[in-house]
Amino acid sequence: MLEAQNLEMKYKNKLAVDNVNLYIEKGESVGLLGPNGAGKSTTISMISTLLPPTKGTVKYNGKDIFDKPESIRPFLGVVPQEIALYDELSALENLTFFGKIHGLRGQVLKDKIQKVLELVELTDRKKDAVKNYSGGMKRRINLAVALLHDPEILIMDEPTVGIDPQSRNYILDMVKKLNKEKKLTILYTSHYMEEVEKLCDRIYIMDHGQIVASGTNEELKSILTNEETIEVSVNVHDDHFTECLMNNQSINQITKEENGYRLIVSKSEELLVKLFEYAKSSNIVITGIQIKKPTLEDVFLHLTGKKLRD
Ligand code: ADP
Ligand code: MG
């Protein structure tokens, strides 16, 4: 349905997006996961016809979207990273305004507004000024605006940033429903791996403007089949112990956590024994050891050497 080939965006000397290739099939829910500054918003802007790339193409059902962007826009529902609503106006007035921009009028517009308000469950608050809404409610209206003209694909740029966990779950559940029940195609951008893990059939991981890996959740985790994650709890963090960990060739990543260390290690029989030896020679006590299945966060750490939230 949507395909980006060799997409590039160069700002002066900076490559914000560097040779990105991605596709989305009709009905799929696709995630674009990456830390702040990875190039997600820039990619989304190009895919949504808002920013012409410095190189590469984007095709929608085989047609270049920059040939006649205005003919493609009706099919796209774009939820920008920044909330784009008029604060002084009510939800109803905002939806009416944006509906008219899409060329909707009269009863058709009224019906569509009613439908999206029901969908985001804000019908009873429709006459309140947006400035009196919570962050989560604003996000929901932002989403309602994008759905007003019945797009074929919903493109969301970090739609849950800055809201409470309950509103966040609400939005996630809603997007999941739109995809699974209403068969709406989804492109979902986030720096929260739990979100894309929960929501997306397929995931692209982005860092420094490039796609560093892609696949289903399971495929991405299988990158780590020869590795496992070990959480070591200790009574106290210790420099000598940390140094021993850093010098061990089987330990590929070390992250200091509140009560100990999170290690990504090459599978190794003798490593556990070694950990206890290190603790003894450092005069500290290992209070717990857990071997975990790798998470997407671990895959990210493995590919880029840093945590998603850095
Ligand atoms: P993300 O959405 O993943 O946080 P962005 O696409 O916003 O990443 O940004 C990618 C990179 O491009 C960042 O280094 C950012 O500073 C830079 N960038 C984004 N927009 C502009 C712009 N208009 N001019 C110059 N640099 C930009
Ligand atoms: Mg962004």
Side-chain angles (χ1 to χ4, degrees):
M1 184 174 198
L2 197 105
E3 186 172 24
Q5 278 178 334
N6 311 111
L7 212 53
E8 181 198 275
M9 186 65 218
K10 205 173 195 173
Y11 294 117
K12 296 205 178 114
N13 299 323
K14 189 181 164 57
L15 266 182
V17 172
D18 183 5
N19 197 29
V20 160
N21 291 283
L22 59 84
Y23 68 91
I24 302 160
E25 307 267 18
K26 195 171 161 52
E28 261 192 319
S29 172
V30 171
L32 184 59
L33 177 70
N36 288 330
K40 304 182 299 296
S41 293
T42 309
T43 303
I44 292 286
S45 299
M46 292 190 281
I47 287 177
S48 323
T49 74
L50 303 175
L51 181 70
T54 43
K55 267 194 205 149
T57 54
V58 183
K59 286 185 176 159
Y60 189 76
N61 290 331
K63 282 191 203 137
D64 189 319
I65 65 167
F66 292 101
D67 277 352
K68 272 195 200 149
E70 64 286 355
S71 71
I72 303 295
R73 280 182 201 136
F75 301 112
L76 315 178
V78 182
V79 184
Q81 187 167 352
E82 304 299 328
I83 289 172
L85 298 169
Y86 293 97
D87 241 21
E88 299 292 329
L89 301 184
S90 69
L92 190 60
E93 289 164 333
N94 268 287
L95 287 164
T96 306
F97 175 80
F98 288 108
K100 285 185 175 166
I101 289 184
H102 284 297
L104 300 168
R105 296 283 184 276
Q107 196 57 43
V108 176
L109 176 58
K110 278 190 186 150
D111 291 347
K112 300 235 179 204
I113 290 176
Q114 192 190 340
K115 202 173 103 189
V116 293
L117 278 171
E118 277 167 19
L119 200 77
V120 299
E121 292 181 23
L122 284 173
T123 306
D124 55 338
R125 299 288 305 271
K126 68 181 176 187
K127 294 196 170 150
D128 293 1
V130 165
K131 66 179 174 195
N132 298 326
Y133 280 18
S134 70
M137 287 161 69
K138 285 184 191 175
R139 289 269 170 204
R140 275 147 68 185
I141 292 294
N142 218 29
L143 197 58
V145 168
L147 291 168
L148 202 52
H149 60 292
D150 281 323
E152 290 181 347
I153 178 168
L154 184 62
I155 300 175
M156 281 165 285
D157 194 357
E158 309 222 33
T160 61
V161 163
I163 62 177
D164 61 279
Q166 201 186 346
S167 310
R168 187 173 158 197
N169 283 334
Y170 184 91
I171 287 184
L172 286 176
D173 289 344
M174 205 173 80
V175 174
K176 185 140 201 165
K177 245 196 233 163
L178 284 169
N179 175 244
K180 295 290 171 245
E181 290 170 21
K182 311 235 158 156
K183 308 289 173 213
L184 189 64
T185 308
I186 306 280
L187 177 59
Y188 190 94
T189 302
S190 181
H191 68 277
Y192 298 116
M193 63 102 197
E194 326 74 92
E195 291 191 349
V196 292
E197 200 162 14
K198 183 169 171 188
L199 208 62
C200 301
D201 306 321
R202 215 153 48 72
I203 298 159
Y204 289 91
I205 299 182
M206 193 168 191
D207 191 34
H208 294 304
Q210 297 178 331
I211 303 291
V212 292
S214 66
T216 62
N217 209 337
E218 292 312 310
E219 283 166 352
L220 287 171
K221 284 177 185 167
S222 74
I223 293 174
L224 297 183
T225 45
N226 294 319
E227 303 194 355
E228 57 195 5
T229 302
I230 301 182
E231 277 181 4
V232 188
S233 307
V234 289
N235 64 333
V236 58
H237 284 116
D238 177 82
D239 287 346
H240 181 258
F241 186 73
T242 310
E243 210 177 298
C244 294
L245 297 178
M246 290 192 329
N247 288 335
N248 188 304
Q249 299 293 321
S250 323
I251 302 175
N252 303 328
Q253 292 285 349
I254 305 169
T255 315
K256 238 183 190 172
E257 311 240 289
E258 203 179 322
N259 300 316
Y261 303 82
R262 186 181 178 88
L263 313 174
I264 300 178
V265 307
S266 307
K267 281 184 183 157
S268 141
E269 295 293 322
E270 68 258 53
L271 184 64
L272 290 181
V273 178
K274 285 267 187 236
L275 290 178
F276 283 101
E277 282 175 17
Y278 296 156
K280 196 169 178 202
S281 69
S282 313
N283 279 320
I284 65 164
V285 180
I286 290 179
T287 53
I289 282 193
Q290 261 193 313
I291 298 176
K292 301 213 148 184
K293 279 194 171 172
T295 64
L296 268 190
E297 183 89 38
D298 296 326
V299 175
F300 190 82
L301 202 58
H302 169 90
L303 290 168
T304 67
K306 64 185 183 214
K307 284 200 130 186
L308 264 171
R309 282 180 193 77
D310 275 357

